[in-house]
Amino acid sequence: MLKKNVETFLGCDSDWRDARVVLFGAPFDSTTSFRPGARFASAAMRKESYGLETYSPYQDKDLADCKIFDSGDLELSFGSPAAALSDVDRRAKHILKDGKIPFLIGGEHLVTLGAVRAASGAYPDLHIVHFDAHADLRGEYLGAKLSHACVMRRCHELLGDGRIFQFGIRSGDKSEFTWGKERVQTRLFDFEGLERTLDALAGKPVYFTVDLDVLDPSVFPGTGTPEPGGVSFEELRKAVTLVCSSANVVALDVNELSPHYDASGASTAVACKIVREMLLAIQKQEV
Amino acid sequence: MLKKNVETFLGCDSDWRDARVVLFGAPFDSTTSFRPGARFASAAMRKESYGLETYSPYQDKDLADCKIFDSGDLELSFGSPAAALSDVDRRAKHILKDGKIPFLIGGEHLVTLGAVRAASGAYPDLHIVHFDAHADLRGEYLGAKLSHACVMRRCHELLGDGRIFQFGIRSGDKSEFTWGKERVQTRLFDFEGLERTLDALAGKPVYFTVDLDVLDPSVFPGTGTPEPGGVSFEELRKAVTLVCSSANVVALDVNELSPHYDASGASTAVACKIVREMLLAIQKQEV
Amino acid sequence: MLKKNVETFLGCDSDWRDARVVLFGAPFDSTTSFRPGARFASAAMRKESYGLETYSPYQDKDLADCKIFDSGDLELSFGSPAAALSDVDRRAKHILKDGKIPFLIGGEHLVTLGAVRAASGAYPDLHIVHFDAHADLRGEYLGAKLSHACVMRRCHELLGDGRIFQFGIRSGDKSEFTWGKERVQTRLFDFEGLERTLDALAGKPVYFTVDLDVLDPSVFPGTGTPEPGGVSFEELRKAVTLVCSSANVVALDVNELSPHYDASGASTAVACKIVREMLLAIQKQEV
Amino acid sequence: MLKKNVETFLGCDSDWRDARVVLFGAPFDSTTSFRPGARFASAAMRKESYGLETYSPYQDKDLADCKIFDSGDLELSFGSPAAALSDVDRRAKHILKDGKIPFLIGGEHLVTLGAVRAASGAYPDLHIVHFDAHADLRGEYLGAKLSHACVMRRCHELLGDGRIFQFGIRSGDKSEFTWGKERVQTRLFDFEGLERTLDALAGKPVYFTVDLDVLDPSVFPGTGTPEPGGVSFEELRKAVTLVCSSANVVALDVNELSPHYDASGASTAVACKIVREMLLAIQKQEV
Amino acid sequence: MLKKNVETFLGCDSDWRDARVVLFGAPFDSTTSFRPGARFASAAMRKESYGLETYSPYQDKDLADCKIFDSGDLELSFGSPAAALSDVDRRAKHILKDGKIPFLIGGEHLVTLGAVRAASGAYPDLHIVHFDAHADLRGEYLGAKLSHACVMRRCHELLGDGRIFQFGIRSGDKSEFTWGKERVQTRLFDFEGLERTLDALAGKPVYFTVDLDVLDPSVFPGTGTPEPGGVSFEELRKAVTLVCSSANVVALDVNELSPHYDASGASTAVACKIVREMLLAIQKQEV
Amino acid sequence: MLKKNVETFLGCDSDWRDARVVLFGAPFDSTTSFRPGARFASAAMRKESYGLETYSPYQDKDLADCKIFDSGDLELSFGSPAAALSDVDRRAKHILKDGKIPFLIGGEHLVTLGAVRAASGAYPDLHIVHFDAHADLRGEYLGAKLSHACVMRRCHELLGDGRIFQFGIRSGDKSEFTWGKERVQTRLFDFEGLERTLDALAGKPVYFTVDLDVLDPSVFPGTGTPEPGGVSFEELRKAVTLVCSSANVVALDVNELSPHYDASGASTAVACKIVREMLLAIQKQEV
């Protein structure tokens, strides 16, 4: 009797029971204003992750030694951001309820809002560490409040002042920066001050959201809105490893890979490697 | 003093006042469930139309002799189908109010609903001639009623039984065909019976909607949901010419070109040529 | 508790026990001499099949009513054709042993040899119906006997004269045609005589192998060796339906989709639709 | 001692002395107004021709039995059409002087003018058979007389009325058709009347020029100016075979493949196969 | 009454009267010897610029506060470099005559010569600051004097010794460097010495020409002749900001984006962002 | 009488007799497990090398002054690694026998084994300097011993402990690193210690193998298995120049360019420039 065809991200084949981290994909990009396609990210990453090894020479750790479950992709309603966010919220809640860490693979950045809702329900003192090229602090965008360009503003409405810490930001409407000045900590262009921020967050529950367009488009062209002038792969690799290994990360996501703009596959490989390093680094909490 | 940079579809440079046909683009694809990208169609067609001649040897007519105004693209809210349809409706109403014919360039097929609303307001006895690979008769799709897969069902709610005439259909859920049997005239696979239908519609106001995926993907690969087994370019060219020259077309559209799947540009050229032939054929009404 | 991520070809989600047809993929292309890439076919088809409906208006049948199990892809050793063929053979034997029909998704055409070995073991009186642009009758190619260009020659060694029936052939070395004249029935360019052949094969066990490059490259550009001058989609659709519904097909395959040469996705859609029609047509045998 | 790396079109490896037909490439596209890239055609065809067989089942002939020399590509001055045409003219003269048939692989269609100059020098009674989507009869284009869009007008200036026979034409400025009416024989859309024309040309020296965009873009998307509505591969294959085997072709060319618009390689395969069939058909003159 | 469809580069929608800087495009690439396509740059940049914000966090300035007019693209004669250069010259003169700064978007680098002719007419003491991977100092190239590979040599003929200052150069024929040694200041590989040069040019009228291939191909693959080993985005961003804000720039250009080699769109984004930063930096002169 | 069409890598047109370095291509990728396509590298590099200059401003040397012969590509049997390696071995032996230096252009990395066999026959004291992202030290891979993933393990079997010096390695199975610890010198991530290694190798015969995926995918996306986190172009350029100019290199290769993943051509340009610099640097030995 042959087995069913189970597909997971590289090395994420634990049983649900044992798993401490649970992956899920949110293939959604309906509010993307410039170039859609992030909906294809989670499937592409699952498939292309097999170009990587499970072992990381950076951390001398192996995914084969970790307990991770891949619960596949949600089936989301295109054209209905509210419904899609509810579905993301529900899945994340399900995972959190069992004491596990939800790891969301977007999709456009708006999907983060669904997971932040779930995480802030479970951890009222939630803080957000946010890597991105774009501030995403607009009040509304083209008449819509549920838009990728407003996602951090919506998160701020949930969490309040002083809870969001942005790094790598290099693009935004002037008014976003003005609005954010007193409410959000925004580090322009790079990760300077990250260690200090993590020290200040010691012990607090952290939602960690990585918009991969924080990377320079030379490293990561495969995204909806390429913003020249970003960080290098090494800078991002070190920064995500630091956050995942030293903060109390209770939920996390990686988003905005758009495989259609990744003719060479290099961006998908970058996304997969960043996820691998995050999965390996977060394991310290299992001890 | 230099002039502003005005861009129009090939040969559509009349003044608003003189124009009998008015083009407008609806760059929207948020409910597209399979592969987005139709939002880029109108801009691509405007640009690539200059690979064509204004003269048609098929009809021995020239766009240079026609009165057409290109009013550019709407700026639509991604992620909000209801808002987008309102904007399409408003633009179409504006054009109809001045006694002109709106020619909508989609976008995903859902945008048709906005223009049909406007046209059925102006012409209560409106009928629809619909070329497509897909029946688009679902009650809802992935929980949404405003979806490209439901657009003809929504139109049916506006117009009632016996008003929609479909040709070229070759894909649908079984229940769509069952539902449609008594309510909609559906010709599978080709255009047989089109002349008879047009005879029956003589004098009645017709909305003509062309989903370009009615074409075989060999001719028109550049679309979101390629359906092998479609009609040839010659079959479509003759059929659209027939409808535009012999029916009382009061509004019309062409949709579902997705330039990102058109590496060679051939699909965009097909879309442009079909639009040129439609524009030339509909001119007989100006006499 | 969340479920594992099971991925199947559209509508092929039966239990193993109930299934009469069992899909499996053979991602192998090591002997491809011109352009490799057929290894990516089965994964691409599984993913892109969801752009189709389960219902076929051609046959008025629905995959939802069929019993098909998708056993996923083999993990084959690149660079070792002999080992790869053993693995294909073993999987096909496993399926045949349970009285089910193996449906192999290639890969390059060589993989057919593995399944033919298994099927000729189970059915010593096996005949082959072969659709292809290329005769594949070389004795050896670039020094290798296990090559895609020799696959029918190898099959002939297993089955003997008068057992192989080729259609659509339009390319080959002159010596292949000379050699085949007395041993193989070769119909050039199209499917003429197919009904007569099927009549002659009535009741006999048939292995049905479809090299999709039998299609014209306008319809199916996404293949390793495009051969202009092939059959249309409608011709192939009708021919595969005929074979699957009227012959005693005991094993079958579809091969030589190469997704890297299918920028628009239209070729993958063609491959999926042909497989859907084959799966639906072969179901008559379940009654 | 190892040999130098000689590259030829498939099967064209005769000695200069023995050869009756001599290939040469003219990688030039400077006057292309819409999309350049035809400069890459001859190199791509030389390389991709090895995806074909030397044997043609259509004609039951083999390139291995023919005497053809491939003299490689000219190095032409981009930006200087006059200089480029001189170089083409010189190469063609060199070949004609030795009693051989020059077979030019373009490049944009303007290069034909260089070879027609040489051929009309050698054969003052030269006639032209011209397959194309575009009439190419403009007096000038964007201020230039040496433009791809004017090439047949320039040829007419050399040869005079009644010497040019066009087939497959489906695009042009209205004035081109008006001008051509009394001077050139223009068959719109297809090859009807070709046999009659060839009968009338019996014995006369013929220059045969094939702009591959005469093909429908479904068959041949890889060209600078795709014109939907063209002929099929089979129609072109039969027509070129007819011209080459029954007319007194003294020089010929194939042009306007633009490999950059041929992501799948299918257009390059079409170009190569058409050239193979022309090379095989013209061989009858060697007897 | 609907408005005409005016398209501009992001935020460049001033009236002609108010504008201090005037954009225009020169879609020309006929002399490009390696890979054409720069003709598509200005249209692509106009369209893709809307992926950017008008606000720059680098300079804390906003295009919304600037006075820039976009006069669209010239219609240039392909195949006639002399005619094309005259048209560029005429447009630049028109802009200079009104006391405005022409900002040319190429096109291949040869178009710079047209604008330099106009600028050196208006400012006889003109100097050139030139960023490029290639020296462009050939006397002639493939027999042509009006070639992209000779553009700085032609400019030298207009301006004489000691007027041209090159940075970032990393490719050239040996003889170019020898010739240039006494006549042109050439900094290899990077921007070292740029401040010193700008000090020396204080007050003098400067033509600033940026061949974007000065960037490393990892940052800017979308160009005709990629030259590995170039500068980073940050290095170029700082250098162009320095030149535009501290020199007396009287005319400027950016060229050699070739969108066809920019599958991801990242190169177009780089070109747009560099232009935005240049437009913002040059505004200091308005005070 | 026209000449045959000889094609060589840029500037490599010496006579066999004079040549000190002899290029040859090994278009083979049958054991590539992730994404094939390296077979197309040598032809692409030969063609695209003409986008470069023969002169290097880095070394102030010119290929025009060097003696290099390009012997073209081997015709290798796909699907038979053993046969392919024999052919590579034989060609390298032929070159070595005449006292020349073989320069192999792969192909997948396995082809190196063929050339190492030849070189270790001629120079029993052979050492290997190896630049790569992957350790390639597996005992076997997917059941095969002749696999790209095992190539250095096979070389170790020929040469023994302490003869292989790896740099830039950043990917491997954990067991590879364990196995290699005592047997191979492996420098992770970069080229630190290269000078020391070269000092230690002074006078000893060195085989130098460069897997281009040692570069970061931002610089070199066009490869089968992109590994983010690699070295920059400048780091590799300096390192290869150092090895070629200071070690006693008796044979060398460059491999793993996969042009199909190089839409922009930038990776091919990188490969060509690295080869140019290696060819120029190794010339010092001719003195």
Side-chain angles (χ1 to χ4, degrees), chain F residues 154-174:
Chain F
R154 294 293 88 74
C155 289
H156 175 270
E157 289 166 2
L158 280 177
L159 304 183
D161 286 355
R163 295 284 197 86
I164 298 176
F165 301 82
Q166 305 185 313
F167 292 86
I169 308 301
R170 61 190 181 277
S171 177
D173 191 81
K174 195 172 182 173

Side-chain angles (χ1 to χ4, degrees), chain F:
Chain F
M1 193 172 127
L2 296 169
K3 285 193 202 146
K4 292 199 174 184
N5 183 44
V6 174
E7 301 209 345
T8 69
F9 188 85
L10 173 78
C12 297
D13 46 9
S14 268
D15 274 345
W16 166 263
R17 243 170 276 262
D18 301 335
R20 174 141 172 80
V21 178
V22 177
L23 289 179
F24 69 106
F28 185 81
D29 55 12
S30 289
T31 84
T32 301
S33 45
F34 194 50
R35 309 190 304 185
R39 68 175 67 186
F40 301 113
S42 49
M45 287 171 67
R46 211 170 268 122
K47 196 169 139 204
E48 299 303 320
S49 63
Y50 288 84
L52 282 182
E53 302 281 349
T54 55
Y55 171 74
S56 164
Y58 299 103
Q59 303 190 46
D60 191 22
K61 291 184 183 174
D62 201 310
L63 284 178
D65 305 327
C66 300
K67 302 293 186 192
I68 311 160
F69 180 86
D70 184 346
S71 68
D73 286 353
L74 295 167
E75 189 173 23
L76 300 171
S77 179
F78 290 109
S80 179
L85 289 177
S86 292
D87 289 351
V88 172
D89 185 356
R90 190 172 319 114
R91 173 71 63 101
K93 274 211 183 79
H94 187 132
I95 297 165
L96 285 161
K97 209 185 49 193
D98 261 31
K100 300 177 195 303
I101 297 173
F103 194 140
L104 163 61
I105 309 286
E108 58 160 90
H109 207 170
L110 179 63
V111 297
T112 295
L113 181 57
V116 166
R117 284 178 185 164
S120 70
Y123 300 92
D125 189 30
L126 193 73
H127 291 67
I128 296 178
V129 174
H130 172 216
F131 292 179
D132 203 332
H134 307 90
D136 289 355
L137 289 171
R138 276 175 162 87
E140 61 173 51
Y141 191 62
L142 294 175
K145 295 198 143 207
L146 294 181
S147 161
H148 67 103
C150 313
V151 62
M152 282 302 126
R153 184 71 168 263
R154 294 293 88 74
C155 289
H156 175 270
E157 289 166 2
L158 280 177
L159 304 183
D161 286 355
R163 295 284 197 86
I164 298 176
F165 301 82
Q166 305 185 313
F167 292 86
I169 308 301
R170 61 190 181 277
S171 177
D173 191 81
K174 195 172 182 173
S175 65
E176 293 180 72
F177 293 103
T178 311
W179 180 89
K181 203 163 261 180
E182 308 289 310
R183 299 173 173 95
V184 168
Q185 178 191 300
T186 300
R187 169 70 200 172
L188 289 179
F189 307 127
D190 58 30
F191 297 123
E192 210 182 287
L194 178 60
E195 286 195 60
R196 217 168 334 123
T197 295
L198 293 176
D199 287 349
L201 292 177
K204 289 181 181 137
V206 168
Y207 187 100
F208 183 27
T209 178
V210 179
D211 185 325
L212 289 164
D213 67 17
V214 72
L215 287 160
D216 191 70
S218 58
V219 178
F220 192 74
T223 193
T225 311
E227 279 288 343
V231 304
S232 72
F233 176 78
E234 272 304 283
E235 288 170 324
L236 180 59
R237 187 190 62 71
K238 283 177 189 158
V240 300
T241 306
L242 187 67
V243 175
C244 287
S245 62
S246 67
N248 176 23
V249 175
V250 299
L252 68 174
D253 67 55
V254 160
N255 51 67
E256 294 288 3
L257 168 68
S258 192
H260 281 207
Y261 296 101
D262 181 33
S264 72
S267 302
T268 307
V270 163
C272 291
K273 204 161 190 172
I274 289 296
V275 167
R276 183 189 77 186
E277 295 299 313
M278 290 168 80
L279 286 169
L280 290 170
I282 210 171
Q283 298 298 324
K284 67 102 213 2
Q285 307 177 321
E286 293 192 40
V287 189

Side-chain angles (χ1 to χ4, degrees), chain B residues 32-271:
Chain B
T32 301
S33 44
F34 194 49
R35 309 190 304 185
R39 69 176 67 185
F40 302 112
S42 50
M45 287 171 67
R46 212 170 268 124
K47 194 169 141 205
E48 299 303 318
S49 63
Y50 288 83
L52 283 182
E53 302 280 350
T54 55
Y55 172 74
S56 164
Y58 299 104
Q59 302 190 45
D60 191 21
K61 290 184 186 173
D62 201 311
L63 283 178
D65 306 327
C66 299
K67 303 293 187 191
I68 311 160
F69 180 86
D70 183 346
S71 68
D73 286 353
L74 296 167
E75 189 173 22
L76 301 170
S77 179
F78 291 108
S80 178
L85 289 177
S86 290
D87 289 350
V88 172
D89 184 355
R90 190 171 318 117
R91 173 72 63 101
K93 274 211 183 80
H94 187 132
I95 298 165
L96 285 160
K97 208 184 49 191
D98 260 30
K100 301 178 194 303
I101 298 173
F103 195 140
L104 165 61
I105 309 286
E108 59 160 88
H109 207 169
L110 179 63
V111 297
T112 294
L113 181 57
V116 166
R117 284 178 185 164
S120 70
Y123 300 92
D125 189 30
L126 193 72
H127 291 67
I128 295 178
V129 174
H130 172 216
F131 291 180
D132 203 332
H134 306 90
D136 290 352
L137 289 170
R138 275 173 161 89
E140 61 171 51
Y141 190 62
L142 295 176
K145 295 199 141 206
L146 293 181
S147 160
H148 66 103
C150 314
V151 62
M152 282 302 127
R153 184 73 168 262
R154 294 293 89 76
C155 289
H156 175 271
E157 289 167 1
L158 280 177
L159 304 182
D161 287 355
R163 295 283 197 84
I164 298 176
F165 302 82
Q166 305 186 311
F167 292 86
I169 310 300
R170 61 190 182 278
S171 177
D173 190 82
K174 194 171 183 174
S175 65
E176 294 180 72
F177 293 103
T178 311
W179 179 89
K181 203 162 260 178
E182 309 289 312
R183 299 172 173 96
V184 168
Q185 179 192 299
T186 300
R187 170 68 199 173
L188 289 178
F189 307 126
D190 58 30
F191 297 123
E192 210 181 289
L194 178 59
E195 288 195 58
R196 219 170 330 125
T197 295
L198 293 176
D199 287 350
L201 292 177
K204 287 177 183 141
V206 167
Y207 187 101
F208 183 26
T209 179
V210 179
D211 185 325
L212 290 163
D213 67 18
V214 72
L215 287 159
D216 192 70
S218 59
V219 178
F220 193 73
T223 192
T225 311
E227 280 289 342
V231 304
S232 73
F233 177 78
E234 271 305 282
E235 288 170 323
L236 181 59
R237 187 191 62 72
K238 284 176 187 158
V240 299
T241 305
L242 188 66
V243 174
C244 287
S245 63
S246 69
N248 175 24
V249 175
V250 298
L252 68 174
D253 67 56
V254 161
N255 52 66
E256 293 288 5
L257 167 68
S258 192
H260 281 207
Y261 297 100
D262 181 33
S264 72
S267 302
T268 306
V270 163

